[in-house]
Amino acid sequence: MAKPIMIQGTMSNAGKSLLTAGLCRIFAQDGYRVAPFKSQNMALNSYITADGSEMGRAQVVQAEAAGKAPDVRMNPILLKPTSEKGSQVILEGQPIGNMTATEYYAYKHNLLPHINRAYESLSEENDIIVIEGAGSPAEINLKRDDFVNMGLAKMLKAPVLIAGDIDRGGVFASLYGTVMLFDEDERKHVKGTIINKFRGDVEILKPGLDMLCELIHVPVVGVVPYLQVDIDDEDSLTERFSKQGSSLGLIDIAVIKLPRISNFTDFNALEHIEYASVRYVSGVNELKNPDLIIIPGSKNTMGDLKWMRENGLEACILKHAAENKPVFGVCGGYQMLCETLKDPYGVEHGGEMKGMGLLKSGTVFEKEKTRTRVTGAFSKVGGIFKGLSGKIFEGYEIHMGYTASEAGNEGGSSLSNLTEINGNEKPDGMQNGNIYGTYVHGVFDSEEILSEIAAALMKEKGLEYEKHTSFNLKEYKEKQYDLLADALRESLDLEYIYKVIEEGI
């Protein structure tokens, strides 16, 4: 059976996910069989595994860092917010319905056997399990029936390292306060703290580190610098949304930052196009005059379209399209481009509404979610991106709706042809002039497709695209995981961490 180590944080975005991924990489490099585990994750960035199951993107990153195929046992419960008060509940990779927070907390005791079963199964196959907590473990109003932080640590007899984010200020107070709010039986699990996202001279910190150790009676295991590694982000707290840059690239790509944006990691690869800038915009003043507008996925397509309609972004996109400039919709963004959206079962928003009308099709939201990995090839593509014709890609589908051409409408055709993991073949998406829509997440991950998009956008500006470097997404990710591991080896006391893992509780 595997030995556990758990990373908790004083708050959300303290760096738990990244530290977990880095430790997974280190242990794998050191020859151990290692896997990540997070009993419950709340995020809109999800992933479809080889068997069609759904899990959180953070655990996918951690699995890749560990050299393992993503497996829903690593994240048995995923909550995908659909509104301010409710979420879709994904259990062991399968959606079981939407629940309000009150309904979920009344139901959650039923989930404990699933968590135990997933962890025990992983434990039988590995030497070390790196467990990630969720949010803050010191939320004293949520301690009852907790199975994500100290409740899970006690259940699994896992030693815990607490990470604090110094970049946001108050790190000593937050670490001290977190530990002091633990009960005595919880405190015995705490074996050390980590100061994360540090900028500056560590010598200046040392008096504070010594005082913290005296106050909470556990060592500081390391001071981790603010890391410049490019690894898929956990959720909407990503810095990508605020990192606009001082100037626009020769190619300006604007991604609409929807209130319930999901799977925005679809667009990370676009950042590797030479001469390009990728901006996330949420207002008319931010949009400016981009070369390409992308409408991403959403966990509430109709609600987010209504938001765009009210704040003027829809009108700007329609104007952009009327000027024969390209618009690309992915998943929920594809649905928004349609003539009509209907939600007869209330799976997202309920009711019916008019779409943007840029694609002559309609979307109906269904009770069953489509979840499958796919390979595909673009059909005969028209418009600015005609060079994509025949290009091959792979990715996954994850959506509630079904989109089809509206009866009697012409002027649109499918964008690509797909093969599902079960061998089933089907058309996907739609195109009409310079308007494109697809259900496939990951369609931009191919170097060949990135180059074609870049060349087409540059040609439209009267420029020639010259590619000076090659880009392979898988190789790039592997390099980033190695850089992360190198940085943690330099800043963490790994000898102490291995000792903690071996001794346990």
mmCIF file of all heavy atoms in Angstrom, residues 195-221:
data_model
loop_
_atom_site.group_PDB
_atom_site.id
_atom_site.type_symbol
_atom_site.label_atom_id
_atom_site.label_comp_id
_atom_site.label_asym_id
_atom_site.label_seq_id
_atom_site.Cartn_x
_atom_site.Cartn_y
_atom_site.Cartn_z
ATOM 1 N N ILE A 195 6.583 28.225 2.503
ATOM 2 C CA ILE A 195 6.339 29.594 2.055
ATOM 3 C C ILE A 195 6.422 29.579 0.530
ATOM 4 O O ILE A 195 7.460 29.228 -0.035
ATOM 5 C CB ILE A 195 7.387 30.579 2.617
ATOM 6 C CG1 ILE A 195 7.494 30.470 4.142
ATOM 7 C CG2 ILE A 195 7.059 32.004 2.172
ATOM 8 C CD1 ILE A 195 6.303 30.983 4.890
ATOM 9 N N ASN A 196 5.341 29.943 -0.121
ATOM 10 C CA ASN A 196 5.278 29.817 -1.578
ATOM 11 C C ASN A 196 5.242 31.186 -2.254
ATOM 12 O O ASN A 196 4.807 32.175 -1.670
ATOM 13 C CB ASN A 196 4.022 29.019 -1.961
ATOM 14 C CG ASN A 196 4.097 28.458 -3.358
ATOM 15 O OD1 ASN A 196 5.176 28.282 -3.921
ATOM 16 N ND2 ASN A 196 2.948 28.178 -3.951
ATOM 17 N N LYS A 197 5.719 31.239 -3.502
ATOM 18 C CA LYS A 197 5.672 32.426 -4.367
ATOM 19 C C LYS A 197 6.496 33.593 -3.806
ATOM 20 O O LYS A 197 6.079 34.746 -3.841
ATOM 21 C CB LYS A 197 4.227 32.867 -4.619
ATOM 22 C CG LYS A 197 3.329 31.776 -5.178
ATOM 23 C CD LYS A 197 1.925 32.313 -5.451
ATOM 24 C CE LYS A 197 0.975 31.198 -5.825
ATOM 25 N NZ LYS A 197 -0.401 31.701 -6.065
ATOM 26 N N PHE A 198 7.693 33.276 -3.313
ATOM 27 C CA PHE A 198 8.543 34.305 -2.708
ATOM 28 C C PHE A 198 9.369 35.021 -3.761
ATOM 29 O O PHE A 198 9.931 34.414 -4.670
ATOM 30 C CB PHE A 198 9.472 33.670 -1.667
ATOM 31 C CG PHE A 198 10.412 34.647 -1.019
ATOM 32 C CD1 PHE A 198 9.921 35.613 -0.154
ATOM 33 C CD2 PHE A 198 11.767 34.619 -1.301
ATOM 34 C CE1 PHE A 198 10.777 36.533 0.441
ATOM 35 C CE2 PHE A 198 12.628 35.529 -0.716
ATOM 36 C CZ PHE A 198 12.132 36.490 0.160
ATOM 37 N N ARG A 199 9.460 36.338 -3.631
ATOM 38 C CA ARG A 199 10.336 37.162 -4.477
ATOM 39 C C ARG A 199 11.293 37.927 -3.556
ATOM 40 O O ARG A 199 10.835 38.625 -2.663
ATOM 41 C CB ARG A 199 9.527 38.175 -5.291
ATOM 42 C CG ARG A 199 8.339 37.615 -6.063
ATOM 43 C CD ARG A 199 7.551 38.768 -6.675
ATOM 44 N NE ARG A 199 6.227 38.395 -7.104
ATOM 45 C CZ ARG A 199 5.811 38.334 -8.365
ATOM 46 N NH1 ARG A 199 6.660 38.583 -9.333
ATOM 47 N NH2 ARG A 199 4.567 38.029 -8.660
ATOM 48 N N GLY A 200 12.574 37.792 -3.771
ATOM 49 C CA GLY A 200 13.515 38.560 -2.964
ATOM 50 C C GLY A 200 14.587 37.713 -2.329
ATOM 51 O O GLY A 200 14.870 36.588 -2.750
ATOM 52 N N ASP A 201 15.167 38.229 -1.259
ATOM 53 C CA ASP A 201 16.288 37.611 -0.553
ATOM 54 C C ASP A 201 15.757 36.819 0.640
ATOM 55 O O ASP A 201 15.150 37.380 1.558
ATOM 56 C CB ASP A 201 17.247 38.707 -0.080
ATOM 57 C CG ASP A 201 18.523 38.145 0.532
ATOM 58 O OD1 ASP A 201 18.576 36.917 0.774
ATOM 59 O OD2 ASP A 201 19.447 38.926 0.778
ATOM 60 N N VAL A 202 16.004 35.516 0.636
ATOM 61 C CA VAL A 202 15.494 34.642 1.700
ATOM 62 C C VAL A 202 16.063 35.027 3.058
ATOM 63 O O VAL A 202 15.422 34.819 4.097
ATOM 64 C CB VAL A 202 15.834 33.165 1.383
ATOM 65 C CG1 VAL A 202 15.382 32.249 2.522
ATOM 66 C CG2 VAL A 202 15.163 32.735 0.083
ATOM 67 N N GLU A 203 17.279 35.618 3.084
ATOM 68 C CA GLU A 203 17.900 36.002 4.354
ATOM 69 C C GLU A 203 16.998 36.953 5.152
ATOM 70 O O GLU A 203 16.962 36.909 6.380
ATOM 71 C CB GLU A 203 19.255 36.665 4.098
ATOM 72 C CG GLU A 203 20.333 35.710 3.605
ATOM 73 C CD GLU A 203 20.643 34.619 4.630
ATOM 74 O OE1 GLU A 203 20.721 34.942 5.838
ATOM 75 O OE2 GLU A 203 20.789 33.456 4.208
ATOM 76 N N ILE A 204 16.279 37.813 4.446
ATOM 77 C CA ILE A 204 15.392 38.765 5.115
ATOM 78 C C ILE A 204 14.253 38.047 5.826
ATOM 79 O O ILE A 204 13.730 38.513 6.842
ATOM 80 C CB ILE A 204 14.847 39.780 4.092
ATOM 81 C CG1 ILE A 204 16.002 40.565 3.465
ATOM 82 C CG2 ILE A 204 13.836 40.728 4.717
ATOM 83 C CD1 ILE A 204 15.590 41.469 2.323
ATOM 84 N N LEU A 205 13.883 36.872 5.293
ATOM 85 C CA LEU A 205 12.765 36.111 5.870
ATOM 86 C C LEU A 205 13.147 35.341 7.131
ATOM 87 O O LEU A 205 12.275 35.000 7.927
ATOM 88 C CB LEU A 205 12.247 35.093 4.845
ATOM 89 C CG LEU A 205 11.140 35.481 3.865
ATOM 90 C CD1 LEU A 205 10.717 34.254 3.092
ATOM 91 C CD2 LEU A 205 9.952 36.079 4.589
ATOM 92 N N LYS A 206 14.407 35.031 7.299
ATOM 93 C CA LYS A 206 14.826 34.055 8.312
ATOM 94 C C LYS A 206 14.345 34.346 9.729
ATOM 95 O O LYS A 206 13.900 33.430 10.433
ATOM 96 C CB LYS A 206 16.341 33.871 8.270
ATOM 97 C CG LYS A 206 16.780 33.007 7.091
ATOM 98 C CD LYS A 206 18.245 32.632 7.155
ATOM 99 C CE LYS A 206 18.582 31.660 6.022
ATOM 100 N NZ LYS A 206 20.030 31.311 6.014
ATOM 101 N N PRO A 207 14.380 35.592 10.215
ATOM 102 C CA PRO A 207 13.846 35.833 11.564
ATOM 103 C C PRO A 207 12.373 35.432 11.685
ATOM 104 O O PRO A 207 11.961 34.860 12.695
ATOM 105 C CB PRO A 207 14.032 37.339 11.745
ATOM 106 C CG PRO A 207 15.148 37.706 10.830
ATOM 107 C CD PRO A 207 14.981 36.817 9.642
ATOM 108 N N GLY A 208 11.602 35.708 10.639
ATOM 109 C CA GLY A 208 10.192 35.333 10.652
ATOM 110 C C GLY A 208 10.006 33.826 10.597
ATOM 111 O O GLY A 208 9.121 33.276 11.261
ATOM 112 N N LEU A 209 10.838 33.149 9.837
ATOM 113 C CA LEU A 209 10.760 31.684 9.742
ATOM 114 C C LEU A 209 11.042 31.057 11.108
ATOM 115 O O LEU A 209 10.352 30.127 11.534
ATOM 116 C CB LEU A 209 11.756 31.162 8.703
ATOM 117 C CG LEU A 209 11.628 31.686 7.270
ATOM 118 C CD1 LEU A 209 12.673 31.047 6.373
ATOM 119 C CD2 LEU A 209 10.232 31.430 6.716
ATOM 120 N N ASP A 210 12.079 31.567 11.787
ATOM 121 C CA ASP A 210 12.430 31.029 13.105
ATOM 122 C C ASP A 210 11.300 31.262 14.107
ATOM 123 O O ASP A 210 10.961 30.363 14.895
ATOM 124 C CB ASP A 210 13.714 31.689 13.611
ATOM 125 C CG ASP A 210 14.934 31.318 12.775
ATOM 126 O OD1 ASP A 210 14.871 30.288 12.074
ATOM 127 O OD2 ASP A 210 15.930 32.071 12.803
ATOM 128 N N MET A 211 10.713 32.432 14.076
ATOM 129 C CA MET A 211 9.629 32.741 15.007
ATOM 130 C C MET A 211 8.398 31.875 14.736
ATOM 131 O O MET A 211 7.737 31.391 15.662
ATOM 132 C CB MET A 211 9.256 34.226 14.906
ATOM 133 C CG MET A 211 8.279 34.690 15.985
ATOM 134 S SD MET A 211 7.939 36.455 15.869
ATOM 135 C CE MET A 211 9.575 37.109 16.253
ATOM 136 N N LEU A 212 8.099 31.657 13.443
ATOM 137 C CA LEU A 212 6.955 30.806 13.089
ATOM 138 C C LEU A 212 7.160 29.387 13.613
ATOM 139 O O LEU A 212 6.232 28.783 14.169
ATOM 140 C CB LEU A 212 6.770 30.789 11.563
ATOM 141 C CG LEU A 212 5.608 29.945 11.036
ATOM 142 C CD1 LEU A 212 4.265 30.509 11.493
ATOM 143 C CD2 LEU A 212 5.646 29.859 9.501
ATOM 144 N N CYS A 213 8.369 28.869 13.470
ATOM 145 C CA CYS A 213 8.672 27.512 13.968
ATOM 146 C C CYS A 213 8.468 27.427 15.479
ATOM 147 O O CYS A 213 7.926 26.437 15.987
ATOM 148 C CB CYS A 213 10.109 27.123 13.621
ATOM 149 S SG CYS A 213 10.412 26.925 11.858
ATOM 150 N N GLU A 214 8.885 28.462 16.192
ATOM 151 C CA GLU A 214 8.723 28.471 17.648
ATOM 152 C C GLU A 214 7.249 28.520 18.053
ATOM 153 O O GLU A 214 6.843 27.921 19.051
ATOM 154 C CB GLU A 214 9.458 29.673 18.241
ATOM 155 C CG GLU A 214 10.970 29.585 18.134
ATOM 156 C CD GLU A 214 11.644 30.861 18.621
ATOM 157 O OE1 GLU A 214 10.932 31.733 19.176
ATOM 158 O OE2 GLU A 214 12.875 30.995 18.441
ATOM 159 N N LEU A 215 6.450 29.203 17.263
ATOM 160 C CA LEU A 215 5.037 29.384 17.608
ATOM 161 C C LEU A 215 4.204 28.136 17.327
ATOM 162 O O LEU A 215 3.309 27.790 18.102
ATOM 163 C CB LEU A 215 4.459 30.572 16.836
ATOM 164 C CG LEU A 215 4.919 31.963 17.280
ATOM 165 C CD1 LEU A 215 4.473 33.014 16.268
ATOM 166 C CD2 LEU A 215 4.350 32.286 18.669
ATOM 167 N N ILE A 216 4.482 27.451 16.196
ATOM 168 C CA ILE A 216 3.607 26.332 15.818
ATOM 169 C C ILE A 216 4.302 24.975 15.950
ATOM 170 O O ILE A 216 3.677 23.935 15.723
ATOM 171 C CB ILE A 216 3.055 26.508 14.390
ATOM 172 C CG1 ILE A 216 4.179 26.519 13.350
ATOM 173 C CG2 ILE A 216 2.222 27.780 14.283
ATOM 174 C CD1 ILE A 216 3.679 26.589 11.910
ATOM 175 N N HIS A 217 5.600 25.003 16.302
ATOM 176 C CA HIS A 217 6.343 23.778 16.653
ATOM 177 C C HIS A 217 6.496 22.788 15.496
ATOM 178 O O HIS A 217 6.570 21.572 15.718
ATOM 179 C CB HIS A 217 5.686 23.080 17.856
ATOM 180 C CG HIS A 217 5.453 23.991 19.010
ATOM 181 N ND1 HIS A 217 6.467 24.612 19.700
ATOM 182 C CD2 HIS A 217 4.294 24.414 19.588
ATOM 183 C CE1 HIS A 217 5.958 25.373 20.663
ATOM 184 N NE2 HIS A 217 4.639 25.269 20.609
ATOM 185 N N VAL A 218 6.530 23.303 14.283
ATOM 186 C CA VAL A 218 6.884 22.476 13.125
ATOM 187 C C VAL A 218 7.820 23.294 12.248
ATOM 188 O O VAL A 218 7.759 24.527 12.242
ATOM 189 C CB VAL A 218 5.655 22.020 12.305
ATOM 190 C CG1 VAL A 218 4.776 21.074 13.114
ATOM 191 C CG2 VAL A 218 4.854 23.195 11.785
ATOM 192 N N PRO A 219 8.692 22.650 11.491
ATOM 193 C CA PRO A 219 9.665 23.393 10.690
ATOM 194 C C PRO A 219 9.059 23.983 9.414
ATOM 195 O O PRO A 219 8.024 23.533 8.920
ATOM 196 C CB PRO A 219 10.704 22.319 10.342
ATOM 197 C CG PRO A 219 9.926 21.040 10.322
ATOM 198 C CD PRO A 219 8.899 21.189 11.412
ATOM 199 N N VAL A 220 9.735 25.003 8.899
ATOM 200 C CA VAL A 220 9.456 25.477 7.547
ATOM 201 C C VAL A 220 10.253 24.585 6.604
ATOM 202 O O VAL A 220 11.485 24.554 6.653
ATOM 203 C CB VAL A 220 9.866 26.948 7.371
ATOM 204 C CG1 VAL A 220 9.652 27.383 5.920
ATOM 205 C CG2 VAL A 220 9.068 27.845 8.311
ATOM 206 N N VAL A 221 9.556 23.858 5.765
ATOM 207 C CA VAL A 221 10.189 22.847 4.908
ATOM 208 C C VAL A 221 10.867 23.481 3.697
ATOM 209 O O VAL A 221 11.742 22.866 3.084
ATOM 210 C CB VAL A 221 9.139 21.800 4.467
ATOM 211 C CG1 VAL A 221 9.744 20.738 3.574
ATOM 212 C CG2 VAL A 221 8.506 21.158 5.694
#
